[in-house]
Amino acid sequence: MRHIAHYYGDTVRRLFVLGAIIMILTLPFFVDEIGQPLIIPLGVILATGIAAGLTSPQNTWSALLNVCVAAGGVIGFEWYAVDWYARYGREEFFFWTSQTLAAIFLLALYFSLKTIRMSGAIRAWKKIKEEEESFFNTPPKDDGGDA
């Protein structure tokens, strides 16, 4: 596969898949701790997998989707980690799982934003370059006067 400069979607995809695998493997142990209907964590796992599968260097919207999923993951999992730590301490496996998932989604957020930032900078640079080329390659206009 060809490397695309400043594109980190492959890294985001791997982080999302890792997060989804951790969630699906630990869900049976944490159904009671989550305190939500089972459809909610299953929906989060599904949304993470869908975002991973749709990640593409061809679509800016997929990077925006990744930012939203990653930000939601950071907020959700860190919320659970802090809440669980306050109530039960750091010795609990649920705390460490939530904290690990928050860190994975934070990395995904970082790389998603890097992709968006650089794609915008590259587009701006190309536009400036095109404008310069058209300015310097355009022949002077004939003003209709006698020379």
Side-chain angles (χ1 to χ4, degrees):
M1 185 168 179
R2 184 180 74 129
H3 176 72
I4 301 170
H6 306 294
Y7 172 72
Y8 299 96
D10 295 334
T11 302
V12 173
R13 182 183 304 108
R14 288 183 191 106
L15 290 166
F16 280 174
V17 169
L18 176 62
I21 289 170
I22 291 171
M23 287 186 279
I24 207 160
L25 291 176
T26 59
L27 181 59
F29 303 103
F30 298 139
V31 170
D32 294 332
E33 284 85 350
I34 292 171
Q36 302 290 328
L38 187 56
I39 193 70
I40 303 295
L42 290 175
V44 170
I45 294 167
L46 189 62
T48 304
I50 289 170
L54 291 175
T55 300
S56 167
Q58 308 301 334
N59 302 315
T60 303
W61 63 263
S62 73
L64 292 171
L65 173 65
N66 290 346
V67 167
C68 293
V69 169
V74 171
I75 291 168
F77 290 112
E78 193 59 22
W79 183 283
Y80 272 111
V82 169
D83 180 60
W84 202 259
Y85 179 82
R87 289 195 283 153
Y88 303 106
R90 67 175 184 228
E91 310 305 320
E92 295 288 325
F93 187 57
F94 184 72
F95 163 76
W96 286 109
T97 302
S98 298
Q99 194 69 7
T100 300
L101 287 166
I104 289 169
F105 279 88
L106 181 63
L107 286 170
L109 178 63
Y110 170 77
F111 285 112
S112 297
L113 287 170
K114 277 187 75 155
T115 297
I116 289 173
R117 183 187 71 207
M118 289 314 298
S119 68
I122 289 168
R123 278 196 300 272
W125 179 81
K126 285 180 179 177
K127 182 174 172 114
I128 291 169
K129 189 168 174 77
E130 289 171 2
E131 288 174 359
E132 285 178 350
E133 287 176 1
S134 69
F135 176 78
F136 289 113
N137 293 331
T138 304
K141 293 183 181 180
D142 184 16
D143 62 4
D146 295 324

